[in-house]
Amino acid sequence: MKAFRALLGVALVAVLSIALAGCGVLGGGRNEALDGNWQLESFGDAASPSGTDPGSVPAMTLDGGDVSGYTGVNTFSGSYTWRGDGTFEFGPLTYTEMGGSPAAMAQERAFLDALEATHRYEVVDTKLRLSDAEGGTLLVLVPAP
């Protein structure tokens, strides 16, 4: 009888874990709302954004915990984690070290700094909003064409 109860307990935990992961409560792994190709629409709050250089728009691909992208000058790759409560963080990123114009390099630095400062995410009306720990918008991204 004790063995049956133990087995029943393990089965219950497994079923709950699968259900919670499917609802996005636990996070990690695949997330249909996040996974895909994104390009930068703006830095900062969508109500008062600062623009991007139209000739070198930063973009990234999120794919089940892996990230790769383009800063407008260099390419980068790394990892990220997300949770169903909106928590989102990038792991260490590696990137190429090519040079660009001062404006492009400033945009790249701002983009990479924003990725490093990201602690939350929200997808609303097909836009991905990445925010800092206090909820301040860092980046607004849209699906890449």
Side-chain angles (χ1 to χ4, degrees), residues 12-133:
L12 181 60
V13 168
V15 168
L16 285 175
S17 295
I18 292 168
L20 289 174
C23 295
V25 174
L26 297 179
R30 298 261 174 228
N31 181 325
E32 289 183 24
L34 287 173
D35 284 355
N37 301 318
W38 298 94
Q39 71 181 27
L40 183 65
E41 179 180 71
S42 65
F43 289 95
D45 192 344
S48 58
S50 17
T52 62
D53 177 353
S56 59
V57 178
M60 66 181 172
T61 299
L62 300 175
D63 185 18
D66 295 321
V67 61
S68 61
Y70 176 65
T71 65
V73 177
N74 288 289
T75 59
F76 68 93
S77 63
S79 63
Y80 68 91
T81 57
W82 66 274
R83 294 179 83 63
D85 65 358
T87 304
F88 186 102
E89 292 184 337
F90 289 96
L93 300 175
T94 59
Y95 48 90
T96 57
E97 295 184 10
M98 300 195 36
S101 70
M105 295 305 293
Q107 176 178 275
E108 174 181 81
R109 184 74 265 149
F111 185 70
L112 290 172
D113 287 348
L115 295 181
E116 289 176 15
T118 296
H119 286 280
R120 303 203 49 79
Y121 80 96
E122 177 181 38
V123 179
V124 177
D125 297 329
T126 71
K127 293 187 179 187
L128 173 59
R129 179 178 167 261
L130 299 179
S131 306
D132 61 22

